[in-house]
Amino acid sequence: MNYAITLLSLVLMAAAGNVRAAVTELNSSGGTSATNGLHFYLEDTSKLQVRRLNNTGQVYLPTATPPSTSLDNGIFLRADGALYGPSHAVGGTFNPGAMYDTFSITAASPANPAIDGIPQAANQVLGVNAGPQINIQWRYTRPYDFITLNVTLTIPAGYAVSAANPVKYYHVVDTYLGGSDSGCGLTFVDSSGKRIVGTYPPPSGNNCPSSSSIPAGVSIVESFRERNGAFSHYCTDTWNTFYDNAAPWSACALKSNIALSDSVSATYRDTGVGIEYDFTAAGTYTFSYDFVIGSPTLPPYDHVEIRHDGSGSLCAENVTVLGCLSSIVPCPAGSEVTGALSGTFTPSGGTPSVTWTPASFNIAAGQLQTSASFLASAPGGTITLGAVGFSTNPLNGVKCWNTATSTASCTFVVANAPCVAGFECIESGVTYNNLVLTPTARNPLYTKPTATNFKFDVVALQSNGAIANAYTATQNVTVELFDDSAAPQPACSAYVNPVASQSITFAASDAGRKTLPNNFSLNKAYRKLRCRVTDSNTSPTVRGCSSDVFTVRPQAFTVTSSNANADNAGASATATPALKAGANFALIARTGVAGYDTTPKIDAARLEWLNVPEGGRASPGTGTVSGVFPIAVPSPSLPAVATDSVATGSAFTYDEVGYFRFQASGVYDDIFTVDSGDQANGDCTNDFSSSPVSGKYGCKFGNTIATNHFGRFIPDHFDTAVTQGCATGGFSYSGQPFRVTTTAMNLAGGITLNYDADAPGGINVYSKAATLSAWNAAGTTANPGPGTLTNNAIAALLFRSGVANTANPPTMASPLYTFTSLKTPPTIVKLRAIDAEGISSLRASPLPTIEGSTEIRSGRLRLQNAYGSELLDLPVPLEAQYWVGNYYASNTADNCTIIPASSIVMNNYVNNLSACETQLSPVGNLVFSGGKPISPGLKLTKPGSGNAGSVNLAVNISAAPTGKTCVGASESNATAANIPWFGANPASRATFGIYKTPIIYMRENY
């Protein structure tokens, strides 16, 4: 800008009486050297002047300060067709629009003079009536060469704003580059992804080496730098083009209705710089940017952070100090400064005064933080924590974090309290951890069994978590244990009704930590106990509750039954009581102490089966106990003050026969120590240990010795199945043996494998002799029809793994049912098993009865006469039949009868037929299918001589063979077919040379 225009502007401004005095200064004593930063003048209408080094201005006019109208810079707002902003000397009026309707700025805070590393701020308001409102925090940290603007722009609901009619926020500066009014434009994106838009004086001459990077030798870049939120548009050009009052507009004109051109001047000129933010809808928007007079490189870190707990006593209070790259408080992990950093703590600035130890902090290279402590001179009052004199100045000075309230506050309250703020309880011999400094650490208390002596240590604490090693208490301090299982847990002072207590004193030699003088021993179980220590000798009373809770668990379970206790001394295959396998029985688990209120469990791997003495065999080795215990409750049989906890389950089942018992820990608990965290924290061992290992007992407990046996269990019922005498036909002939399988079952229908006989010694262990009986198809009438079941005994020794099979047919020792009268229609017979203890295959409704059955048929063999040519083999009709009610019918279901050809008797040869001149064919067995021998059936071979004649045939049905037969060329003794259920031997006559029909057999020649 030229000086003639400036002088005219000053004259006009004075004549109009338009001199304003609402100006705030930041760093009022700065700007005079390279070490004391910049000196800012901020006007309430947003104009500014910046001085540095030679104490002349860096924005035009360099000799002027606000409210001079010759300072052509400021924040402008285009809103609903109007342009608002501060007064200026170029470009005429802004109408419609003109000045902001409201504008103000606050004084600097903290007040001048500024201190290195401590940010100063001033808050500005710029507003348009019924329109947008701008709130700006100008923030400067000495000695840096930039100021930050944190902007909040509010566009009210209903205001005329859209994509076609945006609200535009501008900031424009007429630059003066360290004594030069001209420079080169540039823009680039830095390594942090932030855009820089500005101008610089060339290193020499009037040439502009680059518009996209800072040339070597350039130390001043007057620029805008993005911080939070990107520029919508930007421009660098000749200074007065931003204020063009009429078309044709320049690319940087604020009054045009187009955006700044996103261009920079690449040639040397009298420069100005502008940025633009666009908003297209009502709402509240926040963004921030820097105005830089110097290097656009950001400081190396954001702030120094002091962490504290906000309040304490007259004890020394610890703080943690670190440098942080992030602006977030508390500093995110990984954002700590790792280079060397030091500084000096500031005094509190009031009463009480504080003494720091050490007075300065020093974070060595590679370290993340350091610690220090301060001591207040007197109780009461609030002090402010701070630091100055940093080896490297932060961008945003000192920030603090109150770890107790999780707030960003640098104030600390000193309470009128003695040098003990609380107490901790911790296992003896365990290193104490300061949970204030390390909240994730632990001071454990371990699980304890009931009726077991135990002690722990009491630690006196300062408010910063350190041990109050100078604490003494010659009068009694009370140590109490409280049940902490209720939710939510009360405040430490609100616990009532301790379960145990004792007193302790502290001497100076204890150095703030002392082991209890007496043992605790509790005869009641507790899932969660908390320790509280109270010193009521102080004013006010000091209390401290343990950071950890612990479990007092029962020693063991005692397991009995109300209806299945076996007498071990007499336990045998016949002892009482006798319970059905799979039926419900009771198990009772007792702890012998009150307070246990969870659920015992059963470990199937710790089940043991009884080896009955008279058996002389190994334990059966199978069987499962099913069912669950309920939650234990105080014993109902005890007086009002319970001394036992009992879990009684009445729906347990055992799926086998015989006896079982639980080995040690077969009934156990593994969750009683969960609620206290003892299991998760390793404050008990993952076992059943009843003796301490490094002070720790087992997390679990159970029965400590093997229980008495439970039983005797017997089968619930038998199932029977029949393998038919004619298995492939689905029936049995009267008098024909069939096979019966009897299976000992539990209530659920599983086989009781322990219902077995001792094979090596032939001695019955659990199985019993049973008897089969015949019933009608409905199972309601015994021994149906005119018949008798024989061979119906099942010896106990037949049972193997719960299953007994009678002898396989055709062994006549197998069961068979025989009609009294041969001419009896088919009858279905059901087989029922029952043993001496009344175990039966018949079950009460609605339980299913599974009993095998067979259809008994009265059968016979019919061997018919045969006639045929002496020149051909002669078929002999043979058929199995059964009585259907009034006649014999072909038994087409007979697919099982086998008759040896050798059991067919041949005799009484007549005419010209001699013995074995004709022979039986086939020579092996006649196998029946559909009631008849399968093809080719029974035949006699044609006589060898061609002689006619006849022979008598009969089948030896019984087991007593008689007569001769021809199954070859010579006679042999006939055998027995051994199928007595067919009754009498059938007989017929076979004749060669006689024909049943008038057909003459002739040989024809062709």
Side-chain angles (χ1 to χ4, degrees):
M1 177 182 287
N2 67 48
Y3 285 90
I5 294 176
T6 303
L7 179 59
L8 175 62
S9 299
L10 291 173
V11 172
L12 292 174
M13 181 180 67
N18 192 25
V19 178
R20 301 194 56 81
V23 177
T24 289
E25 291 185 61
L26 300 182
N27 193 21
S28 61
S29 61
T32 61
S33 69
T35 60
N36 64 11
L38 301 177
H39 179 182
F40 291 87
Y41 301 85
L42 307 175
E43 188 192 14
D44 53 2
T45 65
S46 76
K47 289 187 178 184
L48 84 159
Q49 178 62 277
V50 185
R51 289 184 172 175
R52 62 174 297 155
L53 300 181
N54 58 3
N55 206 30
T56 59
Q58 298 300 294
V59 295
Y60 201 86
L61 180 67
T63 59
T65 59
S68 170
T69 57
S70 296
L71 291 168
D72 279 295
N73 69 77
I75 294 168
F76 298 87
L77 188 70
R78 171 173 286 282
D80 196 20
L83 184 65
Y84 302 88
S87 62
H88 56 95
V90 180
T93 180
F94 281 118
N95 290 326
M99 290 285 288
Y100 293 108
D101 295 308
T102 57
F103 45 90
S104 64
I105 192 164
T106 66
S109 177
N112 290 307
I115 300 174
D116 282 1
I118 305 299
Q120 276 186 301
N123 294 317
Q124 182 160 48
V125 174
L126 304 171
V128 175
N129 287 344
Q133 303 294 314
I134 304 172
N135 289 273
I136 304 171
Q137 181 198 59
W138 298 79
R139 184 179 177 92
Y140 174 66
T141 302
R142 171 177 167 147
Y144 290 123
D145 52 6
F146 64 91
I147 191 169
T148 300
L149 288 83
N150 298 308
V151 184
T152 300
L153 173 65
T154 301
I155 304 173
Y159 191 74
V161 59
S162 66
N165 183 30
V167 169
K168 297 186 177 183
Y169 173 101
Y170 303 102
H171 198 165
V172 177
V173 174
D174 179 3
T175 63
Y176 192 78
L177 303 169
S180 173
D181 201 20
S182 297
C184 306
L186 91 165
T187 184
F188 63 92
V189 176
D190 68 12
S191 60
S192 299
K194 305 300 184 182
R195 179 167 294 279
I196 312 295
V197 179
T199 181
Y200 66 91
S204 63
N206 296 331
N207 293 322
C208 296
S210 174
S211 61
S212 59
S213 63
I214 302 173
V218 171
S219 61
I220 295 178
V221 181
E222 192 164 330
S223 58
F224 292 106
R225 173 175 54 205
E226 292 175 342
R227 185 175 286 272
N228 179 24
F231 303 144
S232 299
H233 300 286
Y234 55 86
C235 190
T236 75
D237 206 339
T238 305
W239 68 273
N240 58 355
T241 59
F242 290 93
Y243 308 104
D244 287 350
N245 197 37
W249 311 108
S250 72
C252 297
L254 303 185
K255 291 196 67 175
S256 70
N257 201 27
I258 60 176
L260 297 183
S261 62
D262 295 338
S263 64
V264 297
S265 55
T267 59
Y268 186 73
R269 64 185 65 189
D270 186 355
T271 51
V273 182
I275 57 170
E276 173 184 338
Y277 290 89
D278 293 348
F279 305 93
T280 60
T284 298
Y285 304 92
T286 60
F287 53 95
S288 62
Y289 59 94
D290 297 330
F291 179 53
V292 182
I293 308 293
S295 170
T297 302
L298 280 171
Y301 70 110
D302 182 82
H303 66 274
V304 168
E305 185 166 304
I306 302 176
R307 294 179 180 176
H308 62 97
D309 64 6
S311 63
S313 66
L314 296 177
C315 297
E317 298 292 339
N318 286 351
V319 299
T320 300
V321 185
L322 54 89
C324 188
L325 302 174
S326 169
S327 62
I328 297 173
V329 180
C331 186
S335 299
E336 300 91 341
V337 173
T338 56
L341 178 63
S342 61
T344 301
F345 293 108
T346 58
S348 63
T351 302
S353 63
V354 297
T355 301
W356 284 92
T357 304
S360 299
F361 68 87
N362 181 28
I363 304 174
Q367 298 294 316
L368 299 182
Q369 62 186 34
T370 188
S371 297
S373 65
F374 64 88
L375 188 64
S377 61
T382 300
I383 63 177
T384 301
L385 307 179
V388 294
F390 308 111
S391 55
T392 302
N393 285 300
L395 175 63
N396 288 306
V398 175
K399 299 181 181 181
C400 302
W401 181 249
N402 187 323
T403 58
T405 61
S406 296
T407 56
S409 170
C410 286
T411 59
F412 192 99
V413 178
V414 180
N416 186 8
C419 190
V420 59
F423 297 93
E424 176 70 290
C425 300
I426 184 174
E427 286 293 328
S428 299
V430 174
T431 300
Y432 167 75
N433 287 307
N434 186 331
L435 304 188
V436 174
L437 297 179
T438 313
T440 58
R442 298 185 63 248
N443 293 312
L445 292 171
Y446 298 155
T447 293
K448 305 293 188 295
T450 55
T452 301
N453 291 334
F454 66 90
K455 296 180 180 181
F456 47 76
D457 287 0
V458 175
V459 184
L461 302 179
Q462 302 177 43
S463 60
N464 61 5
I467 297 178
N469 48 27
Y471 171 69
T472 60
T474 56
Q475 300 183 60
N476 288 336
V477 174
T478 305
V479 181
E480 300 166 296
L481 300 180
F482 292 92
D483 187 347
D484 201 46
S485 59
Q489 283 75 39
C492 186
S493 61
Y495 284 97
V496 294
N497 302 322
V499 302
S501 66
Q502 61 175 283
S503 296
I504 186 174
T505 60
F506 279 83
S509 58
D510 294 324
R513 177 168 180 167
K514 187 170 185 176
T515 302
L516 291 175
N518 302 309
N519 286 312
F520 282 119
S521 180
L522 302 179
N523 290 317
K524 182 179 178 181
Y526 297 92
R527 285 186 292 118
K528 295 169 66 177
L529 280 182
R530 192 177 296 275
C531 165
R532 184 177 76 184
V533 183
T534 304
D535 186 351
S536 57
N537 305 304
T538 62
S539 181
T541 297
V542 176
R543 294 183 179 86
C545 280
S546 60
S547 60
D548 194 22
V549 294
F550 66 102
T551 297
V552 175
R553 64 161 177 81
Q555 291 268 8
F557 284 119
T558 299
V559 186
T560 59
S561 174
S562 60
N563 59 353
N565 276 334
D567 178 2
N568 280 339
S572 67
T574 60
T576 56
L579 298 92
K580 296 291 188 69
N584 289 345
F585 67 94
L587 285 176
I588 304 166
R590 295 180 178 274
T591 61
V593 294
Y596 175 72
D597 57 359
T598 49
T599 306
K601 299 177 182 178
I602 289 177
D603 184 351
R606 294 176 182 265
L607 212 61
E608 181 183 279
W609 301 274
L610 178 64
N611 175 12
V612 176
E614 67 260 32
R617 63 177 297 186
S619 178
T622 187
T624 301
V625 174
S626 300
V628 294
F629 285 99
I631 294 176
V633 297
S635 173
S637 62
L638 295 173
V641 179
T643 59
D644 197 1
S645 302
V646 182
T648 301
S650 58
F652 287 97
T653 61
Y654 180 56
D655 63 355
E656 267 297 343
V657 299
Y659 303 86
F660 76 89
R661 69 176 178 180
F662 296 109
Q663 297 173 347
S665 303
V667 176
Y668 70 99
D669 177 282
D670 63 352
I671 62 172
F672 193 66
T673 55
V674 167
D675 283 359
S676 65
D678 283 359
Q679 283 197 36
N681 293 324
D683 292 344
C684 53
T685 55
N686 187 26
D687 55 25
F688 296 86
S689 175
S690 57
S691 299
V693 178
S694 299
K696 299 179 182 180
Y697 293 86
C699 301
K700 309 172 188 178
F701 63 94
N703 54 301
T704 56
I705 59 174
T707 64
N708 291 336
H709 283 89
F710 300 100
R712 178 179 55 102
F713 293 93
I714 61 177
D716 176 76
H717 65 283
F718 293 118
D719 284 353
T720 64
V722 173
T723 301
Q724 311 292 341
C726 184
T728 56
F731 70 93
S732 300
Y733 285 111
S734 171
Q736 182 183 18
F738 49 83
R739 185 176 184 176
V740 178
T741 299
T742 303
T743 306
M745 311 292 288
N746 59 34
L747 181 66
I751 300 174
T752 55
L753 302 176
N754 291 353
Y755 198 77
D756 200 346
D758 179 49
I763 301 173
N764 173 18
V765 177
Y766 292 129
S767 58
K768 301 289 184 292
T771 303
L772 296 171
S773 57
W775 294 72
N776 65 2
T780 57
T781 303
N783 197 22
T788 303
L789 179 68
T790 55
N791 297 339
N792 59 337
I794 304 173
L797 291 175
L798 286 181
F799 282 96
R800 287 291 182 270
S801 297
V803 180
N805 289 304
T806 59
N808 282 320
T811 303
M812 296 305 294
S814 295
L816 50 89
Y817 187 88
T818 306
F819 289 139
T820 304
S821 171
L822 291 179
K823 292 184 177 181
T824 300
T827 299
I828 294 177
V829 174
K830 182 178 288 189
L831 281 301
R832 180 164 298 160
I834 187 170
D835 71 4
E837 291 189 290
I839 305 303
S840 171
S841 54
L842 176 65
R843 305 180 75 189
S845 180
L847 298 175
T849 295
I850 300 176
E851 294 178 335
S853 62
T854 181
E855 179 182 299
I856 304 298
R857 295 184 176 185
S858 180
R860 74 173 187 178
L861 283 178
R862 184 185 181 196
L863 186 64
Q864 300 182 46
N865 294 332
Y867 309 89
S869 169
E870 71 278 10
L871 302 177
L872 299 173
D873 291 346
L874 179 63
V876 179
L878 177 63
E879 181 181 59
Q881 297 181 333
Y882 71 106
W883 183 256
V884 296
N886 50 10
Y887 63 92
Y888 280 100
S890 176
N891 192 0
T892 57
D894 190 337
N895 300 314
C896 56
T897 295
I898 298 175
I899 300 176
S902 61
S903 67
I904 299 175
V905 178
M906 302 175 65
N907 58 25
N908 196 18
Y909 296 90
V910 297
N911 294 339
N912 298 322
L913 199 64
S914 60
C916 292
E917 193 175 348
T918 179
Q919 302 166 19
L920 290 169
S921 176
V923 297
N925 293 331
L926 297 171
V927 178
F928 279 57
S929 177
K932 298 177 181 179
I934 60 176
S935 179
L938 176 61
K939 289 183 178 182
L940 291 177
T941 61
K942 61 186 179 182
S945 60
N947 293 329
S950 61
V951 61
N952 288 344
L953 301 175
V955 180
N956 272 337
I957 286 176
S958 67
T962 59
K964 299 289 188 177
T965 188
C966 290
V967 291
S970 59
E971 278 191 317
S972 61
N973 293 327
T975 62
N978 199 25
I979 47 177
W981 47 87
F982 281 119
N985 293 343
S988 68
R989 187 162 184 82
T991 303
F992 291 93
I994 299 178
Y995 315 107
K996 294 183 65 176
T997 58
I999 297 176
I1000 301 174
Y1001 292 91
M1002 299 178 62
R1003 177 178 296 174
E1004 299 182 3
N1005 297 318
Y1006 295 95

